[in-house]
Amino acid sequence: MKRNFILSAIIGLLTIEAFPVDDVNTLSSVPLYMFLSFITLVTLFYYYKCKYRKNVKHIFGNDYILKLYFFWVAICCIRGLCIADNYWEYKALFMYSMSLLIPTFMLVFYNPQINRDILNFWFKVIFICFIVYTLFIYNNNVYSFILGPVFFIGCFLPLIPTKWRLIILVLLVLMVFIDFTARSQTIKAVVTLLFCIGCFFKKILSNRVLLLLHHMMYIIPFILLLLGMSGVFNVFRVDEYLNDKGTVDGEYIKDTRTFLYIEIIDSALKNDYVLWGRTPARGNDSNFFDFEMASKQKRERFQNEFVHPNIFTWTGLIGVFLYSLLYFRASYRGVTNSNNWYVRLLALYVSFRWMFGWIEDINNVDINNASLWMTIAICYSPFFRSMTDNEFEIWIRSIFVKEKKLKTMNSI
């Protein structure tokens, strides 16, 4: 872990920086967030340039999708630099350019040793900080933004030591029941537990079944979009279908997304940036969020609560297409070209997170997105995909167990 301590510490700081204080997320401390985001990306570039460049070139050198995505981001950022005309827009350009560079995590997280060291440090040091934090400050709806690695490891609970298995299981169950109004947190915890249960049904979840489920994750959002636009069924307005029957508390299923989609799409059509995007320096026109808009004259909201609509606003349909291909290529490789069942399961999780990105998962440079792109990088990585089931199980256990003890366990 010593050789990757700097990167591990940076990822740890991203977690601590996200701890809310007095119900206010420290992301509202923009200078701190911008500084840590910048340092994180610089550290990733250092690891890529100075330590693992040969391996990265071998793995991603012929990946034209990744190159095209970064090329398009560069064009959008240059356009943003040209059109920004005040302090707030230059500030937005700097902040959200870094959000667009989040896939940079892939250039480092393909490496099993790096991932092991980071997760080992996170669970031994940062996780303890989280426990101490919860003893003094109670905020029950932000766990999912702080505990990103828990969702990743939670998919493989049967493989890890009993002590950690119980701790993570308690956390996941807590996130399910502690606050039903924190719907994103509840959904991600429930899905993680379902993936965990899936580990007991390896024979039933064959390659064909996993591939079918994988494709469904990418198809469902388009079906729901068509149904919503045609007025047949709006998935965000389930309260209209259920609440009248008195079956569900309205607060749990309240629609907080439809009006955002309407604003984002109307703004793109009105200002003619559907294909090219408005650049990270600008946001979508908004009438609902005037209280938080820094640029009052233009009445724009620079960032919304979900990933893909933000990518659409900043980089247009071209950016959304390329960004989505990064998910699809990783998950498809994981499902169809992996030597072990666990990476195939993880690939299905990646496809779920792509689908979930249409309703949540805000794209900040934080531990939540670092964990997500670690998962995506694992599906890309030939090192992980070439592992056998037994080798992957050993790697997962090595996060929590010292190497000497692990060798003893494997020899029994």
Side-chain angles (χ1 to χ4, degrees):
M1 187 174 72
K2 290 181 180 179
R3 62 181 178 177
N4 294 317
F5 176 78
I6 295 176
L7 184 58
S8 299
I10 291 293
I11 298 300
L13 286 174
L14 283 180
T15 309
I16 295 174
E17 184 267 343
F19 286 0
V21 179
D22 295 331
D23 293 329
V24 178
N25 195 309
T26 51
L27 280 176
S28 59
S29 175
V30 174
L32 175 61
Y33 168 72
M34 293 170 69
F35 173 74
L36 283 177
S37 299
F38 179 73
I39 291 298
T40 300
L41 293 174
V42 168
T43 304
L44 290 172
F45 181 75
Y46 164 76
Y47 269 75
Y48 158 68
K49 190 78 175 176
C50 301
K51 290 196 171 188
Y52 302 104
R53 189 174 183 179
K54 290 184 179 179
N55 284 340
V56 172
K57 279 191 172 183
H58 173 69
I59 297 169
F60 299 104
N62 297 320
D63 196 321
Y64 63 91
I65 295 174
L66 190 62
K67 291 180 179 179
L68 281 174
Y69 173 76
F70 284 131
F71 176 72
W72 183 244
V73 167
I75 290 177
C76 291
C77 291
I78 293 171
R79 287 172 51 223
L81 193 62
C82 295
I83 68 173
D85 62 5
N86 60 61
Y87 165 79
W88 301 108
E89 290 180 4
Y90 283 111
K91 177 181 172 182
L93 174 63
F94 183 73
M95 283 185 63
Y96 303 126
S97 294
M98 290 189 290
S99 294
L100 290 173
L101 292 175
I102 288 175
T104 307
F105 281 108
M106 281 202 304
L107 301 180
V108 174
F109 286 167
Y110 73 91
N111 186 303
Q113 184 63 43
I114 291 177
N115 290 351
R116 177 201 172 278
D117 289 348
I118 289 173
L119 291 171
N120 178 272
F121 177 85
W122 195 91
F123 279 100
K124 285 187 175 181
V125 179
I126 306 304
F127 186 76
I128 295 173
C129 293
F130 167 76
I131 298 299
V132 174
Y133 159 82
T134 55
L135 295 176
F136 296 95
I137 299 177
Y138 177 76
N139 194 321
N140 57 15
N141 62 356
V142 299
Y143 293 167
S144 64
F145 298 106
I146 298 172
L147 300 176
V150 168
F151 294 114
F152 168 74
I153 294 295
C155 294
F156 307 110
L157 283 186
L159 308 184
I160 66 177
T162 303
K163 179 184 73 173
W164 282 104
R165 188 185 310 161
L166 292 174
I167 291 172
I168 294 174
L169 179 61
V170 168
L171 275 174
L172 289 171
V173 172
L174 189 65
M175 284 189 277
V176 172
F177 294 104
I178 196 169
D179 185 359
F180 287 118
T181 60
R183 292 171 293 183
S184 170
Q185 178 172 279
T186 302
I187 291 171
K188 284 197 285 189
V190 168
V191 169
T192 300
L193 288 170
L194 289 175
F195 274 84
C196 169
I197 294 171
C199 290
F200 295 102
F201 299 95
K202 290 172 64 174
K203 292 183 179 180
I204 296 176
L205 294 174
S206 62
N207 294 353
R208 184 174 296 181
V209 172
L210 290 174
L211 186 61
L212 175 63
L213 292 173
H214 168 269
H215 290 342
M216 286 176 61
M217 296 291 185
Y218 287 100
I219 294 171
I220 288 173
F222 294 105
I223 295 175
L224 293 176
L225 177 64
L226 290 174
L227 291 175
M229 293 179 68
S230 63
V232 175
F233 175 74
N234 185 345
V235 68
F236 298 123
R237 290 181 175 169
V238 178
D239 54 331
E240 295 181 0
Y241 306 99
L242 297 178
N243 203 38
D244 289 342
K245 301 176 183 180
T247 55
V248 183
D249 190 327
E251 279 298 312
Y252 301 152
I253 54 176
K254 184 179 179 181
D255 178 15
T256 59
R257 293 293 180 265
T258 298
F259 75 96
L260 291 176
Y261 269 99
I262 292 173
E263 281 200 332
I264 291 167
I265 294 172
D266 284 351
S267 176
L269 293 172
K270 178 182 176 182
N271 298 285
D272 195 25
Y273 61 82
V274 173
L275 192 61
W276 315 103
R278 210 173 194 180
T279 82
R282 301 288 299 275
N284 61 277
D285 297 345
S286 178
N287 293 315
F288 286 93
F289 291 93
D290 184 60
F291 66 90
E292 69 169 43
M293 290 186 293
S295 183
K296 298 290 185 180
Q297 294 179 342
K298 295 183 180 179
R299 300 180 64 81
E300 295 175 14
R301 195 180 191 214
F302 292 123
Q303 185 185 42
N304 288 288
E305 287 79 3
F306 28 34
V307 175
H308 305 307
N310 285 332
I311 300 295
F312 169 72
T313 297
W314 299 329
T315 63
L317 285 178
I318 294 175
V320 173
F321 178 70
L322 293 172
Y323 193 77
S324 297
L325 279 180
L326 295 177
Y327 280 80
F328 183 80
R329 188 164 183 139
S331 59
Y332 187 76
R333 278 183 179 180
V335 170
T336 62
N337 193 22
S338 176
N339 197 38
N340 67 83
W341 183 86
Y342 298 109
V343 171
R344 296 187 200 115
L345 185 71
L346 210 55
L348 183 61
Y349 181 75
V350 169
S351 63
F352 159 73
R353 290 298 292 267
W354 177 86
M355 180 177 70
F356 195 63
W358 291 101
I359 58 175
E360 192 59 63
D361 267 4
I362 189 167
N363 33 354
N364 290 319
V365 182
D366 57 14
I367 188 61
N368 183 46
N369 280 288
S371 302
L372 170 60
W373 284 93
M374 178 183 286
T375 307
I376 293 172
I378 287 173
C379 294
Y380 260 96
S381 171
F383 301 114
F384 280 101
R385 288 187 286 111
S386 64
M387 290 180 180
T388 63
D389 282 358
N390 185 56
E391 287 171 339
F392 189 87
E393 290 170 5
I394 292 172
W395 178 81
I396 283 287
R397 287 197 294 271
S398 72
I399 295 169
F400 303 96
V401 180
K402 292 181 179 180
E403 292 185 17
K404 290 182 180 180
K405 187 175 180 181
L406 185 65
K407 289 178 181 178
T408 304
M409 290 171 60
N410 292 329
S411 63
I412 297 176

